[in-house]
Structures are given as structure tokens and as C-alpha cells.
Amino acid sequence: SALSYVEVKDKLLYFHMDDGSVRRSRASLAEYEPNLLSRGNFLKVHRSYIVNLRHVSELTADSLITFGGETVPISRLLYAHVRQIYMDDLFAEAESL
């Protein structure tokens, strides 16, 4: 299974997989952030969330919805940036078909 998004909560990292499973680790998001963001399809959308854009089905007014139906909040400060990256990614994917 592949990683859909990472969430930090109560000093634990939750790795949400596309099969619905969740793996936990006692670590900070900062430890994983550079590695994830360097992959190109991961985007920090909130101070507590990094999302794999390949696993996003919808952008709403304040969140992303994964193909698994989970809602990931987007920080208001990052919304315009996230929207731009999401749309760029969507059009790049459409052009490659």
C-alpha cells in the first residue's frame, strides 16, 4: 500500500495508507518533512499534515478529500498555494494521458 497523508497529533505521527491502515510513530513531522517534500507529489497543507497529491480526489473550500474519503484540513494561510499546486498537478496529469 502507498502513503496517502501524514498527520501529527499528540506527539505521534500517523501515516495514513491508501488501504485504510494507519501506522504510528513517535516522531516529529520535521523529521520526515524534507524527505517527503523532496518527492514532488507530497505537499504540506497544514502545520500538522503532509498530503500525497496522487491520492487526492477533491479540493474543497477548506480541505482535501482523499480517494479513501478522508478529509485533510488546509490551513487558511496555505490555501491559495495548495489550490495552485493542486490545479497545476491536475492539469499536468491530464496532459500526460
Side-chain angles (χ1 to χ4, degrees):
S1 64
L3 180 61
S4 287
Y5 67 97
V6 181
E7 171 187 19
V8 64
K9 187 168 56 179
D10 302 326
K11 299 195 174 154
L12 283 174
L13 279 184
Y14 294 85
F15 295 89
H16 295 264
M17 310 307 284
D18 63 355
D19 65 1
S21 67
V22 179
R23 300 180 185 154
R24 288 188 316 201
S25 174
R26 190 169 293 283
S28 73
L29 195 56
E31 291 176 57
Y32 289 89
E33 193 171 326
N35 187 8
L36 288 170
L37 297 182
S38 71
R39 295 169 187 242
N41 52 318
F42 283 88
L43 181 63
K44 188 166 190 176
V45 298
H46 185 283
R47 65 185 168 88
S48 302
Y49 293 89
I50 294 177
V51 173
N52 183 345
L53 289 173
R54 301 281 177 268
H55 293 256
V56 171
S57 65
E58 186 181 344
L59 172 71
T60 70
D62 62 358
S63 59
L64 292 167
I65 312 296
T66 68
F67 286 117
E70 296 186 75
T71 301
V72 179
I74 302 172
S75 154
R76 277 177 306 168
L77 294 172
L78 294 174
Y79 185 82
H81 175 70
V82 170
R83 183 178 183 276
Q84 184 63 55
I85 299 291
Y86 175 78
M87 296 309 286
D88 289 351
D89 189 67
L90 202 60
F91 287 114
E93 201 174 287
E95 287 172 6
S96 70
L97 295 176

